[in-house]
Amino acid sequence: MRLGRSLAIGVALGLGWMGPAAAEIYRFQILQLNDVYEITPVQGGRSGGLARVATLLKQLKAENPQTWSMLAGDYLSPSALGTAKVNGDRLAGQQMVAVLNAMGLDLATFGNHEFDISEAQLRQRLQEQKFALVTGNVLDAQGRLFPNTQTDYQFQVQATDCQKPVCPPLKVSVLGVTIDSNQAPYVRYGDPLKTLQQQIQQRQSNTDLFIGLTHLNLSQDQQLARSLPALDLILGGHEHENIQQWVGDDFTPIFKADANARTVYVHRLTYDSDRRDLQISSQLVPITPVIPEDPTTAAVVQTWLEKGFTGFRAQGFDPSAIVGRTTEPLDGLESSVRNESTALTRLIAKSYLRAVPTAELAIYNSGAIRIDDVLPSGPISQYDVIRMLPFGGAIASVEMRGELLQRVLEQGLKNRGSGGFLQTDGVQRSDRGWQIQGQPLRPDRWYRVAIADYLLTGQEKGLGFLTEQNPGLRSLQRGQDVRFAVIAQLQAQR
Ligand SMILES: [Zn+2]
C-alpha cells in the first residue's frame, strides 16, 4: 500500500464497519491454513480433516464470493500415508495434492518439508497441482523457477460498495518466501527479506495491497514486518501452534494457524481506498466434527487412504487392524518427544527390549517419531503405529562398551530439543551419573543394547563417531522393523 495508510485491526467477530459517503469499499476474505501433513482428521478424529475445511471454504464463498484460500507451506511431507508405496514409488504428497485440488485451494507457498522428497517427486507434484504456488526465494539448482510456480500471485477485488461513477478493482499481490532449513541439494535458497524488498519495489506502482505468504520462523516474520512497511499482512506457517502478533511501527499483523488444520484462520478484510484504510477481522476457527465433511473432498480422501493402505498391505501391514488399546493418551507431539519421555516413547522403547530379549537397555532417536499428534486412550490400529514411525527402520542388537555407551547417552541429552534427543529404556540418570538397570554404568564393561539401526550410521547430530567401525561395538545383528516390534508389544499388552 502506498503513502499515508493507517491500519486498524479488529480482532475476532462483530466489528461491522461503516464507510463514509461516496466511498469505495472492498470486502474480501482469506481462509489460511499451514503445515498440513494429514488428509484425514487427527487426535482420534476430534480435530482437523481437509474435508471439513472444504465445507468451511464453501460456506465462506457463499457468504462472500470474493474468498481466497491459501496454504502457508509444508504439505507434501512428512506424513505416514505419504510413505506408502503405490506402483513402486512412495506417494510422497500425491495424496495431499489430490485432496487440496478437490478442496479448491487457490494458492500455496513452499515449506521446508516440500524438499524432503526427491526432485523428481517434487516436479511431479507441481505438475499435478491445480492451485498456484508462489515463491520468491526458492529456485532450482540452476537458479530457475520450478515449473508451475510463480514469483507473485495477483488477484483483483471488486468494490462491494461503490458510490462513485467508477470504482476500479483493488489489486492485491501475494508474495511467497521460505525458510532454508532441511536444505536439499536440488534447491537454491535466496534471502527472504532481500527477495521481498526487491519484489515489492518492482510492483509497488501497480499494487494496492501486499500479502506475504511465508514459511519462516516467527523471528524472521517479525523482521519482515519491521523492515517492510509496504507489507500489509503476513500469513505464515512453520511454527505448528497458532500465533497472532502485530509487529513494527505500522502494526503489521502476523498470523499462523495450528498444524494439520486443527485450526484455520478466517480473515475478513475491508479496504477503504479513499482513506487507504485496511481493517482485518480475524477468527481462529477450530476444525472439529461440528463442521460436516464436504462429500466430494471426503470421497477423494477415502480414495487415497485406500490406495495408501493397499501399499502398506503389500509391505506386510494390515493398517486397519486393531492391535491393542491404550489406557492413557500417547503423546507423540514433537515438542514433547524431543524433550522428554512420554507414554508413547516408553511404548516404543519397550518394543525394542521385546525385540532383543537379551538386551539390558534400548536406545533410539526421538526424530524417528513423526506423528506430531496425541493418540487418545482407546483402540490403536496398525495405521496408528505407521503414523508414529512412518519411516520404520531395523532394530539392531549390539554389544557396546560402557565408555562408548556413556558418550552416546551424554550426546543424547545434549541433543534435547532436536530429533537427536535419545529415548531409552533401562537407563536412568541421577546425581551419581548414569545407571543401567539400576546399577552404575561401568566404562570397562560391555552392554547388550537394542538400538535403532539408523544410529549406527553416524548420521545423527553429534554422533558421527557411532559407526560400525567403532571399536567400542561388537556382535552387531540387525532384526525386524521397529513398527512390527511395536505392533507385537501392543498385542502382548492386550
Ligand atoms: Zn516448516
Side-chain angles (χ1 to χ4, degrees):
M1 201 173 358
R2 291 178 298 265
L3 301 170
R5 90 195 151 107
S6 72
L7 182 73
I9 297 146
V11 185
L13 293 164
L15 277 182
W17 194 89
M18 303 302 286
E24 307 164 293
I25 305 294
Y26 301 82
R27 290 193 179 84
F28 65 107
Q29 313 188 112
I30 297 172
L31 183 151
Q32 173 197 354
L33 62 168
N34 49 270
D35 303 83
V36 185
Y37 308 98
E38 301 284 347
I39 56 176
T40 51
V42 295
Q43 294 175 328
R46 293 174 200 174
S47 195
L50 290 174
R52 293 174 185 156
V53 177
T55 299
L56 178 63
L57 183 57
K58 279 190 177 161
Q59 288 167 351
L60 290 169
K61 283 184 172 165
E63 179 186 323
N64 180 351
Q66 303 200 96
T67 296
W68 284 266
S69 52
M70 302 184 189
L71 194 163
D74 271 5
Y75 58 100
L76 296 177
S77 171
S79 84
L81 204 58
T83 64
K85 279 191 179 164
V86 176
N87 302 326
D89 195 12
R90 290 186 191 273
L91 285 182
Q94 198 180 353
Q95 78 289 1
M96 183 61 72
V97 169
V99 172
L100 292 172
N101 283 345
M103 194 185 95
L105 183 75
D106 291 304
L107 178 62
T109 194
F110 283 130
N112 50 307
H113 281 299
E114 267 58 274
F115 312 114
D116 293 349
I117 62 177
S118 73
E119 179 168 15
Q121 288 168 331
L122 178 69
R123 287 178 181 268
Q124 184 59 37
R125 294 300 87 81
L126 292 169
Q127 292 300 328
E128 292 157 7
Q129 286 181 183
K130 290 184 189 150
F131 46 93
L133 192 139
V134 66
T135 179
N137 71 326
V138 173
L139 301 168
D140 73 9
Q142 285 74 44
R144 294 175 308 219
L145 276 172
F146 282 100
N148 277 359
T149 69
Q150 53 202 76
T151 49
D152 71 347
Y153 177 87
Q154 287 218 346
F155 62 92
Q156 298 195 336
V157 180
Q158 303 301 323
T160 34
D161 287 350
C162 179
Q163 293 160 10
K164 294 179 175 177
V166 186
C167 292
L170 184 73
K171 286 179 246 168
V172 183
S173 187
V174 185
L175 305 172
V177 280
T178 304
I179 194 168
D180 63 356
S181 46
N182 327 45
Q183 291 203 2
Y186 65 82
V187 180
R188 192 185 289 181
Y189 302 83
D191 179 74
L193 176 60
K194 279 190 201 144
T195 304
L196 285 188
Q197 239 157 6
Q198 244 173 30
Q199 290 191 325
I200 289 173
Q201 228 163 42
Q202 287 160 1
R203 289 159 181 81
Q204 207 149 17
S205 60
N206 192 31
T207 302
D208 298 301
L209 292 175
F210 281 105
I211 297 175
L213 185 64
T214 69
H215 192 88
L216 301 171
N217 64 39
L218 182 61
S219 62
Q220 290 175 298
D221 280 316
Q222 289 167 336
Q223 191 196 17
L224 297 184
R226 283 195 206 95
S227 317
L228 299 169
L231 202 56
D232 296 287
L233 171 61
I234 296 176
L235 307 178
H238 192 58
E239 243 90 17
H240 288 204
E241 311 297 327
N242 72 79
I243 291 172
Q244 56 172 301
Q245 285 193 356
W246 296 270
V247 177
D249 296 337
D250 56 351
F251 299 101
T252 305
I254 301 171
F255 293 100
K256 306 187 187 212
D258 294 282
N260 275 328
R262 284 181 284 132
T263 63
V264 302
Y265 256 113
V266 173
H267 307 291
R268 292 182 174 84
L269 300 99
T270 308
Y271 184 68
D272 178 335
S273 63
D274 284 348
R275 295 181 173 192
R276 304 222 166 141
D277 178 62
L278 176 68
Q279 288 222 9
I280 306 171
S281 170
S282 297
Q283 190 188 1
L284 186 68
V285 181
I287 303 300
T288 69
V290 170
I291 306 172
E293 295 194 327
D294 168 58
T296 314
T297 308
V300 176
V301 169
Q302 199 50 44
T303 304
W304 285 93
L305 204 55
E306 269 314 310
K307 276 191 199 183
F309 277 19
T310 305
F312 288 131
R313 282 186 200 106
Q315 290 172 259
F317 294 100
D318 182 3
S320 39
I322 301 298
V323 286
R325 297 186 68 82
T326 166
T327 49
E328 54 181 331
L330 299 179
D331 180 355
L333 292 172
E334 275 188 12
S335 52
S336 305
V337 303
R338 295 183 172 200
N339 289 288
E340 61 192 18
S341 101
T342 73
L344 185 140
T345 67
R346 290 190 288 275
L347 166 70
I348 296 171
K350 290 243 172 313
S351 313
Y352 271 79
L353 287 187
R354 163 172 290 277
V356 186
T358 53
E360 296 159 274
L361 69 147
I363 305 176
Y364 68 98
N365 50 312
S366 59
I369 303 169
R370 296 298 187 91
I371 186 168
D372 202 19
D373 191 12
V374 180
L375 293 174
S377 46
I380 301 286
S381 67
Q382 288 203 10
Y383 183 54
D384 290 325
V385 176
I386 297 169
R387 287 180 64 210
M388 290 176 201
L389 300 157
F391 296 104
I395 294 177
S397 162
V398 75
E399 282 188 70
M400 194 183 288
R401 208 166 152 77
E403 208 176 358
L404 177 62
L405 175 58
Q406 176 156 355
R407 211 174 147 199
V408 170
L409 293 172
E410 296 287 350
Q411 184 61 41
L413 266 193
K414 280 188 203 147
N415 288 349
R416 193 185 287 275
S418 81
F421 177 66
L422 298 180
Q423 295 288 352
T424 59
D425 196 326
V427 179
Q428 293 87 35
R429 165 125 185 127
S430 72
D431 306 343
R432 287 165 294 147
W434 295 99
Q435 306 232 313
I436 306 299
Q437 297 285 357
Q439 300 297 317
L441 187 152
R442 282 176 40 201
D444 56 341
R445 230 203 86 179
W446 288 87
Y447 291 89
R448 171 63 63 183
V449 186
I451 189 167
D453 186 37
Y454 168 76
L455 287 177
L456 303 178
T457 62
Q459 289 177 63
E460 188 53 88
K461 186 177 171 186
L463 291 172
F465 57 87
L466 189 58
T467 63
E468 283 183 52
Q469 286 70 45
N470 192 304
L473 293 179
R474 67 184 189 198
S475 319
L476 169 65
Q477 284 175 322
R478 289 192 176 82
Q480 68 183 153
D481 186 286
V482 57
R483 292 170 294 187
F484 292 116
V486 174
I487 289 167
Q489 177 67 21
L490 282 162
Q491 284 168 336
Q493 285 177 7
R494 276 209 284 215

